[in-house]
Amino acid sequence: MLLKLKGVTIHYETAEAVKGVSLEVDEGAVVGIIGANGGGKSTILKAISGLVPLTEGEIYFKNERIDGLATHEIVNLGIIHVPEGRRLFPHMTVLANLKLGAYLRKDKAAIESDLEVIFKLFPRLKDRYHQKAGTLSGGEQEMLAICRGLMSRPKLLLMDEPSLGLSPIIIEELAKIIKDINKNGISVLLVEQNASLVNEVTDRGYVLEVGKVVLEGNITELMANKLVQRAFIGG
Ligand code: ATP
């Protein structure tokens, strides 16, 4: 087991955003969290990253308890968050944004060779490495946000709605990127509302409704479920 959440409850002041959520990500898996807006999906990812505190429950990474750790300690363990809306530094270049992904690493030579690998995989970023991140297209910005995450050599990538604002063709590209990342040994926890992306890249999923897991299991079975179809359409 790579990641395990046990009975996680989270409040924002008095409002309960997440209610007793338990979920697991196996080593090497791509797991989805799906459901309508406001269901608490982003909040779960933020809790794993140490950005919001738990009211109740526990989070384990490789059997080690991580709730209560500082975000930089969690990053150091290899858990990297690619946040909703990409959160790039728009006035900095593509290269500078990528290098920020490696800010906790000391292995300078390996950082340079990782940059080469990324530029080979994503030639569009190489062509634009001097360009300010804010001038990239939506799809390019998502790629950059993912690559910035990869620069820290993660073990687990937390992806928050990467398909947001992207065209179907770019979402297809994104699916291929997520599969390639996973083939390279990185596990993924993907928060999404795009049913076809979830269906294509995940093995297992959890359906969240107003902060609670209402269904979980094999993704093909989940996708066939009426409740899931309603959750996607009813967002
Ligand atoms: P979306 O797909 O719209 O991002 P989500 O499933 O990721 O939705 P969250 O963003 O986790 O849902 O929000 C869960 C609940 O917590 C919502 O009711 C939201 O209004 C509330 N919430 C989120 N962030 C805060 C905050 N900083 N302060 C107060 N309430 C918040």
Side-chain angles (χ1 to χ4, degrees), residues 1-15:
M1 186 65 48
L2 188 66
L3 180 81
K4 190 179 176 88
L5 272 67
K6 269 169 83 175
V8 167
T9 295
I10 300 161
H11 285 82
Y12 288 111
E13 302 189 0
T14 54

PDB file of all heavy atoms in Angstrom, residues 1-15:
ATOM      1  N   MET A   1       0.835  -1.201   0.000  1.00  0.00           N
ATOM      2  CA  MET A   1       0.000   0.000   0.000  1.00  0.00           C
ATOM      3  C   MET A   1       0.876   1.259   0.000  1.00  0.00           C
ATOM      4  O   MET A   1       1.732   1.404   0.856  1.00  0.00           O
ATOM      5  CB  MET A   1      -0.868  -0.037   1.259  1.00  0.00           C
ATOM      6  CG  MET A   1      -1.888   1.062   1.315  1.00  0.00           C
ATOM      7  SD  MET A   1      -3.113   0.906   0.019  1.00  0.00           S
ATOM      8  CE  MET A   1      -3.550  -0.826   0.187  1.00  0.00           C
ATOM      9  N   LEU A   2       0.635   2.131  -0.984  1.00  0.00           N
ATOM     10  CA  LEU A   2       1.441   3.347  -1.036  1.00  0.00           C
ATOM     11  C   LEU A   2       0.809   4.444  -0.178  1.00  0.00           C
ATOM     12  O   LEU A   2       1.470   5.053   0.665  1.00  0.00           O
ATOM     13  CB  LEU A   2       1.541   3.815  -2.494  1.00  0.00           C
ATOM     14  CG  LEU A   2       2.501   4.965  -2.758  1.00  0.00           C
ATOM     15  CD1 LEU A   2       3.938   4.531  -2.489  1.00  0.00           C
ATOM     16  CD2 LEU A   2       2.373   5.453  -4.195  1.00  0.00           C
ATOM     17  N   LEU A   3      -0.480   4.683  -0.404  1.00  0.00           N
ATOM     18  CA  LEU A   3      -1.186   5.745   0.328  1.00  0.00           C
ATOM     19  C   LEU A   3      -2.473   5.196   0.929  1.00  0.00           C
ATOM     20  O   LEU A   3      -3.190   4.432   0.279  1.00  0.00           O
ATOM     21  CB  LEU A   3      -1.535   6.889  -0.631  1.00  0.00           C
ATOM     22  CG  LEU A   3      -2.274   8.068  -0.003  1.00  0.00           C
ATOM     23  CD1 LEU A   3      -1.290   9.007   0.699  1.00  0.00           C
ATOM     24  CD2 LEU A   3      -3.070   8.846  -1.050  1.00  0.00           C
ATOM     25  N   LYS A   4      -2.728   5.597   2.159  1.00  0.00           N
ATOM     26  CA  LYS A   4      -3.973   5.125   2.809  1.00  0.00           C
ATOM     27  C   LYS A   4      -4.577   6.268   3.612  1.00  0.00           C
ATOM     28  O   LYS A   4      -3.883   6.877   4.440  1.00  0.00           O
ATOM     29  CB  LYS A   4      -3.613   3.968   3.731  1.00  0.00           C
ATOM     30  CG  LYS A   4      -4.792   3.228   4.289  1.00  0.00           C
ATOM     31  CD  LYS A   4      -4.270   2.076   5.173  1.00  0.00           C
ATOM     32  CE  LYS A   4      -5.386   1.336   5.841  1.00  0.00           C
ATOM     33  NZ  LYS A   4      -5.925   0.254   5.033  1.00  0.00           N
ATOM     34  N   LEU A   5      -5.840   6.571   3.357  1.00  0.00           N
ATOM     35  CA  LEU A   5      -6.577   7.536   4.188  1.00  0.00           C
ATOM     36  C   LEU A   5      -7.575   6.746   5.024  1.00  0.00           C
ATOM     37  O   LEU A   5      -8.280   5.874   4.484  1.00  0.00           O
ATOM     38  CB  LEU A   5      -7.352   8.533   3.312  1.00  0.00           C
ATOM     39  CG  LEU A   5      -6.612   9.797   2.866  1.00  0.00           C
ATOM     40  CD1 LEU A   5      -5.491   9.435   1.919  1.00  0.00           C
ATOM     41  CD2 LEU A   5      -7.563  10.782   2.207  1.00  0.00           C
ATOM     42  N   LYS A   6      -7.599   7.030   6.315  1.00  0.00           N
ATOM     43  CA  LYS A   6      -8.510   6.293   7.200  1.00  0.00           C
ATOM     44  C   LYS A   6      -9.428   7.278   7.915  1.00  0.00           C
ATOM     45  O   LYS A   6      -8.951   8.103   8.701  1.00  0.00           O
ATOM     46  CB  LYS A   6      -7.697   5.547   8.270  1.00  0.00           C
ATOM     47  CG  LYS A   6      -7.323   4.140   7.866  1.00  0.00           C
ATOM     48  CD  LYS A   6      -6.325   3.519   8.803  1.00  0.00           C
ATOM     49  CE  LYS A   6      -6.869   2.903  10.046  1.00  0.00           C
ATOM     50  NZ  LYS A   6      -5.770   2.232  10.805  1.00  0.00           N
ATOM     51  N   GLY A   7     -10.695   7.238   7.592  1.00  0.00           N
ATOM     52  CA  GLY A   7     -11.697   8.044   8.285  1.00  0.00           C
ATOM     53  C   GLY A   7     -11.379   9.527   8.346  1.00  0.00           C
ATOM     54  O   GLY A   7     -11.516  10.153   9.400  1.00  0.00           O
ATOM     55  N   VAL A   8     -10.984  10.087   7.194  1.00  0.00           N
ATOM     56  CA  VAL A   8     -10.561  11.497   7.178  1.00  0.00           C
ATOM     57  C   VAL A   8     -11.770  12.452   7.138  1.00  0.00           C
ATOM     58  O   VAL A   8     -12.614  12.368   6.246  1.00  0.00           O
ATOM     59  CB  VAL A   8      -9.610  11.761   5.983  1.00  0.00           C
ATOM     60  CG1 VAL A   8      -9.420  13.251   5.757  1.00  0.00           C
ATOM     61  CG2 VAL A   8      -8.264  11.082   6.220  1.00  0.00           C
ATOM     62  N   THR A   9     -11.807  13.336   8.115  1.00  0.00           N
ATOM     63  CA  THR A   9     -12.828  14.381   8.172  1.00  0.00           C
ATOM     64  C   THR A   9     -12.123  15.738   8.199  1.00  0.00           C
ATOM     65  O   THR A   9     -11.109  15.889   8.887  1.00  0.00           O
ATOM     66  CB  THR A   9     -13.702  14.193   9.438  1.00  0.00           C
ATOM     67  OG1 THR A   9     -14.404  12.954   9.295  1.00  0.00           O
ATOM     68  CG2 THR A   9     -14.702  15.313   9.636  1.00  0.00           C
ATOM     69  N   ILE A  10     -12.650  16.672   7.417  1.00  0.00           N
ATOM     70  CA  ILE A  10     -12.018  17.997   7.321  1.00  0.00           C
ATOM     71  C   ILE A  10     -13.091  19.087   7.405  1.00  0.00           C
ATOM     72  O   ILE A  10     -14.121  18.999   6.722  1.00  0.00           O
ATOM     73  CB  ILE A  10     -11.235  18.139   5.991  1.00  0.00           C
ATOM     74  CG1 ILE A  10     -10.142  17.060   5.902  1.00  0.00           C
ATOM     75  CG2 ILE A  10     -10.599  19.531   5.865  1.00  0.00           C
ATOM     76  CD1 ILE A  10      -9.648  16.827   4.501  1.00  0.00           C
ATOM     77  N   HIS A  11     -12.832  20.065   8.205  1.00  0.00           N
ATOM     78  CA  HIS A  11     -13.741  21.217   8.318  1.00  0.00           C
ATOM     79  C   HIS A  11     -13.052  22.472   7.810  1.00  0.00           C
ATOM     80  O   HIS A  11     -11.849  22.647   7.995  1.00  0.00           O
ATOM     81  CB  HIS A  11     -14.098  21.462   9.793  1.00  0.00           C
ATOM     82  CG  HIS A  11     -15.069  20.481  10.340  1.00  0.00           C
ATOM     83  ND1 HIS A  11     -14.689  19.241  10.785  1.00  0.00           N
ATOM     84  CD2 HIS A  11     -16.416  20.555  10.503  1.00  0.00           C
ATOM     85  CE1 HIS A  11     -15.761  18.587  11.209  1.00  0.00           C
ATOM     86  NE2 HIS A  11     -16.817  19.355  11.051  1.00  0.00           N
ATOM     87  N   TYR A  12     -13.819  23.333   7.186  1.00  0.00           N
ATOM     88  CA  TYR A  12     -13.376  24.711   6.961  1.00  0.00           C
ATOM     89  C   TYR A  12     -14.198  25.527   7.947  1.00  0.00           C
ATOM     90  O   TYR A  12     -15.424  25.642   7.770  1.00  0.00           O
ATOM     91  CB  TYR A  12     -13.665  25.166   5.532  1.00  0.00           C
ATOM     92  CG  TYR A  12     -12.782  24.520   4.491  1.00  0.00           C
ATOM     93  CD1 TYR A  12     -13.291  23.605   3.573  1.00  0.00           C
ATOM     94  CD2 TYR A  12     -11.424  24.823   4.419  1.00  0.00           C
ATOM     95  CE1 TYR A  12     -12.483  23.018   2.606  1.00  0.00           C
ATOM     96  CE2 TYR A  12     -10.604  24.240   3.450  1.00  0.00           C
ATOM     97  CZ  TYR A  12     -11.143  23.345   2.551  1.00  0.00           C
ATOM     98  OH  TYR A  12     -10.351  22.772   1.610  1.00  0.00           O
ATOM     99  N   GLU A  13     -13.554  26.027   8.972  1.00  0.00           N
ATOM    100  CA  GLU A  13     -14.281  26.650  10.082  1.00  0.00           C
ATOM    101  C   GLU A  13     -15.375  25.674  10.547  1.00  0.00           C
ATOM    102  O   GLU A  13     -15.047  24.571  10.950  1.00  0.00           O
ATOM    103  CB  GLU A  13     -14.792  28.030   9.690  1.00  0.00           C
ATOM    104  CG  GLU A  13     -13.586  28.860   9.267  1.00  0.00           C
ATOM    105  CD  GLU A  13     -13.826  30.317   9.035  1.00  0.00           C
ATOM    106  OE1 GLU A  13     -14.931  30.816   9.179  1.00  0.00           O
ATOM    107  OE2 GLU A  13     -12.833  30.978   8.709  1.00  0.00           O
ATOM    108  N   THR A  14     -16.653  26.043  10.421  1.00  0.00           N
ATOM    109  CA  THR A  14     -17.670  25.123  10.949  1.00  0.00           C
ATOM    110  C   THR A  14     -18.212  24.168   9.886  1.00  0.00           C
ATOM    111  O   THR A  14     -18.871  23.184  10.212  1.00  0.00           O
ATOM    112  CB  THR A  14     -18.859  25.915  11.549  1.00  0.00           C
ATOM    113  OG1 THR A  14     -19.314  26.810  10.550  1.00  0.00           O
ATOM    114  CG2 THR A  14     -18.443  26.679  12.792  1.00  0.00           C
ATOM    115  N   ALA A  15     -17.931  24.449   8.614  1.00  0.00           N
ATOM    116  CA  ALA A  15     -18.506  23.602   7.562  1.00  0.00           C
ATOM    117  C   ALA A  15     -17.672  22.338   7.349  1.00  0.00           C
ATOM    118  O   ALA A  15     -16.440  22.408   7.238  1.00  0.00           O
ATOM    119  CB  ALA A  15     -18.591  24.393   6.271  1.00  0.00           C
TER     120      ALA A  15
END
